[in-house]
Amino acid sequence: MKFFIDTADLNEIKDLAATGMVDGVTTNPSLAAKSGKKFLDLIAEICAVVKGPVSAEVTALDHVTMMKEAAVLRKIASNVAIKVPLTPDGLKTCKALSDDGVMVNVTLCFSAAQALLAAKAGAAFISPFVGRLDDVGTDGMDLIEDICTIYGNYGFRTEVLVASIRHPMHVVEAARLGAHVSTMPPSTLRQLFNHPLTEKGLKAFLDDWAKTGQSIL
Ligand code: E4P
């Protein structure tokens, strides 16, 4: 499973990229606004740090303007994935860009039917939002299971990019279901490293080692 981080905070991206665990980055207009930076500069800076796909979202609602925005965004770097919303115009844009060899991430997916449309439009990634589905009392992971099954049935090459992840078990469950990518906040990626028994065990080992008075170096 690939790990993307869902943030526009460059310091966080640099810090986590150094762990070797970051395969890509997803941003959205809310995260970009929070960064306080100029959007095009921000995407360029992220692309310079992470070589994998960096999602940059269009903000137009109509196909013609989406295409114009995508033309600007795709020039920033070869690893930019154009993010479009799951709307008729977004999918029309997805199809046109995908036919032209551009990576497209279709975002704001909340149903298996929508995911099927995105795959037919040639999306490189479909982003189902599990956390937001959980928030309204449905199980977001049921959607991941459905999409993985449906894509498997037809051999669609669209990668399932599990988004709106809130905690480590979302990542584990997504991996169990065979999703290709999890995009998560930096805090969740850091949580993946932790287990109290690891800390406890390490402390005990090092306490015993200290008693020997030895040093490896
Ligand atoms: C994914 O691309 C989205 O930016 C993101 O996962 C949304 O997560 P949220 O529901 O926590 O805002």
Side-chain angles (χ1 to χ4, degrees):
M1 165 173 268
K2 285 176 268 192
F3 287 171
F4 290 0
I5 40 174
D6 192 39
T7 183
D9 182 327
L10 205 65
N11 289 330
E12 288 277 37
I13 293 168
K14 284 181 184 162
D15 194 46
L16 285 167
T19 67
M21 293 294 157
V22 176
D23 302 301
V25 175
T26 50
T27 67
N28 62 42
S30 303
L31 294 170
K34 204 169 140 196
S35 80
K37 294 194 170 199
K38 285 195 171 177
F39 186 50
L40 302 188
D41 295 344
L42 171 72
I43 297 300
E45 287 180 84
I46 298 174
C47 288
V49 175
V50 174
K51 296 300 161 213
V54 173
S55 290
E57 188 162 342
V58 297
T59 54
L61 294 175
D62 68 285
H63 169 65
V64 171
T65 319
M66 281 182 189
M67 289 300 289
K68 287 182 186 162
E69 291 183 348
V72 173
L73 296 173
R74 61 191 280 197
K75 272 196 210 130
I76 296 175
S78 57
N79 55 327
V80 169
I82 305 296
K83 207 174 184 187
V84 300
L86 210 153
T87 61
D89 282 64
L91 292 181
K92 190 173 171 186
T93 303
C94 174
K95 177 87 174 81
L97 292 171
S98 303
D99 286 351
D100 199 23
V102 177
M103 254 187 307
V104 180
N105 176 1
V106 178
T107 190
L108 291 167
C109 171
F110 294 96
S111 78
Q114 290 179 317
L116 192 48
L117 292 173
K120 285 177 70 67
F125 302 104
I126 180 69
S127 291
F129 279 35
V130 292
R132 293 192 195 187
L133 280 169
D134 290 354
D135 290 346
V136 295
T138 54
D139 187 346
M141 281 301 157
D142 286 349
L143 175 58
I144 303 305
E145 187 167 17
D146 282 349
I147 297 172
C148 288
T149 302
I150 290 167
Y151 282 10
N153 286 347
Y154 295 96
F156 283 122
R157 294 170 66 184
T158 302
E159 295 194 14
V160 181
L161 194 172
V162 182
S164 188
I165 277 177
R166 303 272 202 258
H167 50 71
M169 285 314 293
H170 272 152
V171 180
V172 172
E173 188 62 12
R176 197 180 69 76
L177 294 169
H180 305 83
V181 191
S182 281
T183 190
M184 64 199 93
S187 56
T188 304
L189 180 51
R190 290 204 174 84
Q191 280 179 294
L192 295 183
F193 287 89
N194 299 334
H195 196 287
L197 290 179
T198 303
E199 284 168 39
K200 189 178 170 195
L202 184 60
K203 184 177 180 318
F205 286 157
L206 294 184
D207 285 350
D208 290 341
W209 175 249
K211 287 177 206 153
T212 70
Q214 297 181 59
S215 153
I216 294 174
L217 296 178

